[in-house]
Amino acid sequence: MKKEKFEALLQEDRLFPPKEEFAVKANLNSEQVYSEAEDSMNFWEKQALNLDWFEPWQEVLKWNPPYAQWFLGGKINASYNCLDRHLSDWHRNKAALIFEGEQGDSKVLTYQDLHREVSKLANVLKSLGVKKGDRVTIYLPLIPEAVISMLACARIGAPHSVVFGGFSAEALRERIIDAQSKIVITADGGFRRGTAIPLKENTDQAVRGLEDVEHILVVRRTGKCIEMEEPRDIWYDEAMKEADLKCPAEPMDAEDLLFILYTSGTTGKPKGIVHTTGGYLVGVSTTHKWVFDLKEEDVYWCTADVGWITGHSYLVYGPLANGATVVIYEGTPDYPHKGRYWEIIEKYQVSILYTAPTAIRTFMKWGNEYPLAHNLSSLRLLGTVGEPINPEAWMWYYKYIGSESCPIVDTWWQTETGMIMMTPLPGITSLKPGSCTVPFPGIKVEIVDSSGNPLSKGMGGYLTIRQPWPAMLRTVYGDPKRYESTYFGNFPGVYFTGDGAKWDSDGYYWVLGRVDDVINVSGHRIGTMEVESALVDHPAVAEAACIGKNHDIKGQALVAFVTLKEGVELRDDLIEELKAHVVEKIGALARPEDIIFTAELPKTRSGKIIRRLLRDIAEGRALGDTTTLADAAVVSSLKELYED
Ligand code: PRX
């Protein structure tokens, strides 16, 4: 666990109680909600009643550790809850999605519009042979069609697997194979800083030789000339022209798969995290309404891409189930200028902003003049997610974006948890910069030592979750053993998050980061093994070890220590070539910041790489315990190398 962070956080003693004018109007303003949720089954059952069910459940929870089933026997459809149920009154004309393109083009879809598009696409998918249970891979930019595709899949009961558009062809291929998708939905490209990303070319490359992929549905976005292979490839807009407007939502069992989402783990292969329908929707809709204090008139902007869990839970399913108006933005914060986010907030009068600490640190670095040049007075609540936020960035966000009047909800959760697990409730909880504060009502967490013994206040250890919650992952797709060992193998019967945390004397939680070999770059989890496999795949590389070093903007940056194969000459351009190789294999998000060539890696006598020492070297610290090293000389020469 990272000790220096630990100590820095201990010094944080600022406290921000809810402001009176916020609390009086808040959806929740009494501590009572926590005591009411002590009986968590009763609590979740009560929340489930806020959704529309085709058939009621017979049993709230069946917990056969480590397997949970929620709302057994209940029949529900996620697309119906996000769309149809808002059509019976004036909400049908409420803006569901406000889309802002990178190029400045924009589009508004009301709930009625979205329902129509989703129904049509659901019929297109059916006509292409997609049936209930079939997996559909979605590889799109952040455009309305991405949301439409997810909801169309949900409508007919076809689990989706959304792959972030920044992933490479190889990463996409691996995910298509693992999910055994027959259909891929992609676009002719997506805009990123003015250039078009070749999504269709990547898809072509990804599916080469995969006979199970029957169709590729292609959205026209950039207008760039691309190759279409008939009859496999079909233009989205042409198929939609002929599609029927009516497509009743399929009644799904509460435990039917809603989606698979791949995330990094400690071994090379990404894990297909499985989420089911009923419990997931109950979890994300309840947390969305309470944590963001959602009001009918809010304009809510979550800056995440749908390729990540935040996009699934708090851009699509949570807010749309709650009938919210959601802003989606295709581009980056600095294109065509560094005030783009603030311009969007002013343009659409955004009232709730949910973004990542890495973005906040970047804005801080760019300077206050960008937000100060815009009127941000529409904002009333701010949120963060993805990694610990350093108190300095918190204070900047509070002051320059929230004008010292907006509460900040620092939300801790994971792809696996599906929903926010630790967070302030903005009308109730006093905030401490850098702390995700306390568990959401109905959630029981515990910090334990390595033997699983609970630790008392003031101490740091392993963050565990003691009892099932409705939006929890159900398994790892096609690999239940991995599910059991990764999440329930360390502390039997208890979910282990992979994070280290401490709780302070007030019972507030401070997440310190991962304790495993997964690093968090710009709020995205990257398995160091994946990057190492990509490096070793290069013909020049014999062995590689990756670690995360602290980074001002990204939180952590990837550093790779590489040994070359015998006889390979060290060329000047090899570093760039290896970085490019990782980008090709995984995507730009995994590009190492530094590559260091070394003749040897520090290993134990049994041959295990000691990453802890590599981290010490990369961060320029005094070396920790070196007694287990097989060859102590390796580290000292590495240290010299790095300091050069
Ligand atoms: O280490 C924690 C960090 O991000 C991990 C989950 O990553 P992922 O599954 O990609 O989901 C990110 C979006 C939910 C966690 O194990 N993390 C996430 N939110 C926070 C956080 N660390 C500290 N504070 C947070 N608010």
Side-chain angles (χ1 to χ4, degrees):
M1 226 159 284
K2 294 183 193 102
K3 202 143 178 290
E4 67 289 351
K5 253 190 189 166
F6 199 104
E7 280 158 7
L9 290 171
L10 276 178
Q11 293 155 11
E12 183 53 63
D13 50 13
R14 283 167 285 200
L15 195 68
F16 295 81
K19 291 206 188 314
E20 176 67 21
E21 60 273 27
F22 187 96
V24 289
K25 291 191 228 145
N27 292 350
L28 292 173
N29 42 25
S30 154
E31 291 273 352
Q32 212 181 329
V33 63
Y34 291 100
S35 47
E36 278 170 14
E38 285 285 311
D39 177 353
S40 64
M41 296 246 268
N42 190 25
F43 170 76
W44 289 119
E45 180 162 38
K46 204 168 139 200
Q47 305 317 317
L49 295 170
N50 293 323
L51 294 175
D52 282 14
W53 297 78
F54 297 132
E55 279 176 40
W57 55 89
Q58 274 99 48
E59 203 180 334
V60 179
L61 169 68
K62 196 175 201 171
W63 179 223
N64 189 5
Y67 293 98
Q69 288 172 287
W70 283 86
F71 306 110
L72 279 88
K75 298 266 184 270
I76 188 165
N77 183 287
S79 164
Y80 184 93
N81 273 277
C82 290
L83 301 169
D84 307 49
R85 70 171 181 151
H86 306 309
L87 301 185
S88 55
D89 58 21
W90 65 270
H91 287 91
R92 79 175 79 92
N93 291 321
K94 180 173 176 177
L97 293 183
I98 299 179
F99 167 68
E100 173 82 8
E102 192 186 75
Q103 313 283 311
D105 50 323
S106 61
K107 194 178 191 174
V108 177
L109 284 113
T110 62
Y111 273 93
Q112 191 159 252
D113 295 334
L114 193 56
H115 175 263
R116 184 188 58 239
E117 295 304 303
V118 167
S119 303
K120 279 164 65 182
L121 183 60
N123 282 325
V124 169
L125 292 175
K126 276 191 192 166
S127 72
L128 296 178
V130 180
K131 295 182 304 298
K132 185 170 170 173
D134 290 346
R135 277 81 50 209
V136 174
T137 295
I138 300 173
Y139 184 59
L140 284 171
L142 188 47
I143 53 177
E145 287 80 355
V147 180
I148 294 167
S149 299
M150 291 165 76
L151 293 174
C153 289
R155 196 160 190 86
I156 59 173
H160 52 70
S161 159
V162 182
V163 179
F164 173 54
F167 275 121
S168 68
E170 284 224 23
L172 173 64
R173 180 182 176 87
E174 193 177 17
R175 287 157 175 76
I176 293 173
I177 294 174
D178 193 80
Q180 301 146 301
S181 292
K182 291 195 290 189
I183 305 269
V184 181
I185 308 179
T186 189
D188 56 357
F191 292 111
R192 196 126 190 114
R193 296 201 176 87
T195 53
I197 316 173
L199 295 174
K200 175 63 165 59
E201 274 139 80
N202 286 353
T203 309
D204 287 343
Q205 208 180 318
V207 304
R208 198 158 295 149
L210 299 185
E211 289 182 359
D212 289 346
V213 176
E214 293 166 9
H215 289 291
I216 301 178
L217 201 54
V218 187
V219 176
R220 248 183 260 268
R221 173 66 186 139
T222 59
K224 203 174 151 252
C225 185
I226 52 158
E227 269 179 38
M228 293 288 280
E229 186 189 304
E230 286 188 8
R232 185 195 66 182
D233 300 350
I234 295 162
W235 284 109
Y236 177 102
D237 54 328
E238 287 173 14
M240 289 288 269
K241 254 187 239 157
E242 284 155 28
D244 193 350
L245 291 173
K246 283 210 167 55
C247 179
E250 187 73 30
M252 303 298 290
D253 192 274
E255 279 300 327
D256 277 336
L257 244 75
L258 178 59
F259 64 84
I260 304 168
L261 183 61
Y262 287 87
T263 188
S264 293
T266 48
T267 63
K269 199 166 166 265
K271 296 181 289 234
I273 302 300
V274 168
H275 283 288
T276 56
T277 310
Y280 173 79
L281 265 193
V282 172
V284 297
S285 58
T286 309
T287 46
H288 181 260
K289 197 162 38 197
W290 289 6
V291 173
F292 298 103
D293 187 48
L294 186 76
K295 300 281 195 294
E296 189 70 84
E297 59 278 16
D298 274 317
V299 178
Y300 166 87
W301 182 18
C302 164
T303 65
D305 189 276
V306 284
W308 310 112
I309 191 69
T310 307
H312 283 61
S313 302
Y314 298 108
L315 189 151
V316 180
Y317 291 109
L320 296 179
N322 289 332
T325 293
V326 181
V327 173
I328 59 173
Y329 171 53
E330 178 187 29
T332 55
D334 58 349
Y335 187 86
H337 57 81
K338 293 189 171 119
R340 195 70 169 104
Y341 271 28
W342 322 123
E343 183 180 79
I344 292 173
I345 289 172
E346 189 170 0
K347 179 171 176 188
Y348 297 115
Q349 295 288 291
V350 171
S351 54
I352 302 172
L353 174 67
Y354 191 31
T355 193
T358 183
I360 299 165
R361 289 192 294 267
T362 306
F363 300 138
M364 263 174 87
K365 192 181 102 191
W366 288 343
N368 306 340
E369 63 267 33
Y370 297 100
L372 288 175
H374 293 274
N375 182 348
L376 306 181
S377 60
S378 57
L379 287 170
R380 61 177 204 91
L381 186 135
L382 305 172
T384 71
V385 59
E387 56 182 312
I389 181 164
N390 35 321
E392 195 196 349
W394 195 102
M395 288 307 302
W396 185 88
Y397 196 32
Y398 187 70
K399 187 165 173 197
Y400 290 98
I401 309 306
S403 297
E404 301 186 25
S405 66
C406 304
I408 298 179
V409 289
D410 175 349
T411 62
W412 177 90
W413 58 295
Q414 309 179 294
T415 306
E416 292 87 344
T417 68
M419 61 183 241
I420 294 170
M421 301 293 279
M422 290 201 280
T423 176
L425 289 177
I428 302 174
T429 320
S430 293
L431 310 171
K432 290 190 187 186
S435 166
C436 58
T437 71
V438 292
F440 189 80
I443 301 298
K444 295 234 166 7
V445 307
E446 196 161 70
I447 296 178
V448 299
D449 66 14
S450 55
S451 319
N453 304 311
L455 294 174
S456 49
K457 282 183 181 166
M459 294 178 77
Y462 301 90
L463 179 63
T464 62
I465 305 173
R466 311 306 293 183
Q467 58 182 34
W469 63 99
M472 72 187 281
L473 79 164
R474 298 303 194 259
T475 188
V476 171
Y477 191 69
D479 199 350
K481 288 270 165 300
R482 198 169 172 198
Y483 167 74
E484 291 167 15
S485 63
T486 310
Y487 303 107
F488 293 88
N490 300 56
F491 309 106
V494 174
Y495 174 88
F496 175 44
T497 62
D499 280 354
K502 84 174 250 272
W503 61 327
D504 67 17
S505 50
D506 296 332
Y508 274 50
Y509 289 82
W510 303 79
V511 173
L512 306 169
R514 307 288 307 176
V515 298
D516 50 22
D517 287 328
V518 173
I519 75 158
N520 193 322
V521 178
S522 303
H524 299 136
R525 269 159 69 181
I526 298 174
T528 49
M529 259 299 290
E530 275 172 84
V531 185
E532 289 162 7
S533 311
L535 284 164
V536 174
D537 177 77
H538 188 282
V541 176
E543 204 173 22
C546 293
I547 51 112
K549 73 164 183 179
N550 289 334
H551 187 279
D552 284 351
I553 304 290
K554 297 178 180 174
Q556 284 190 296
L558 253 166
V559 179
F561 291 83
V562 168
T563 60
L564 295 176
K565 283 191 184 141
E566 240 165 87
V568 172
E569 226 175 284
L570 191 56
R571 291 175 271 118
D572 282 351
D573 52 359
L574 195 55
I575 289 190
E576 279 316 306
E577 191 177 310
L578 291 181
K579 288 184 180 176
H581 191 70
V582 174
V583 172
E584 188 194 317
K585 292 252 127 196
I586 308 176
L589 73 167
R591 183 190 179 90
E593 180 98 354
D594 290 331
I595 293 186
I596 293 127
F597 296 111
T598 164
E600 298 280 351
L601 289 167
K603 289 185 184 163
T604 59
R605 285 175 194 91
S606 61
K608 270 198 189 155
I609 297 170
I610 314 179
R611 288 157 207 282
R612 169 174 61 74
L613 291 177
L614 294 175
R615 270 191 289 270
D616 289 343
I617 292 168
E619 291 183 350
R621 267 196 305 268
L623 297 181
D625 180 16
T626 54
T627 51
T628 51
L629 265 177
D631 179 0
V634 171
V635 195
S636 34
S637 59
L638 250 177
K639 217 167 172 277
E640 277 167 32
L641 253 175
Y642 196 77
E643 281 157 8
D644 282 350

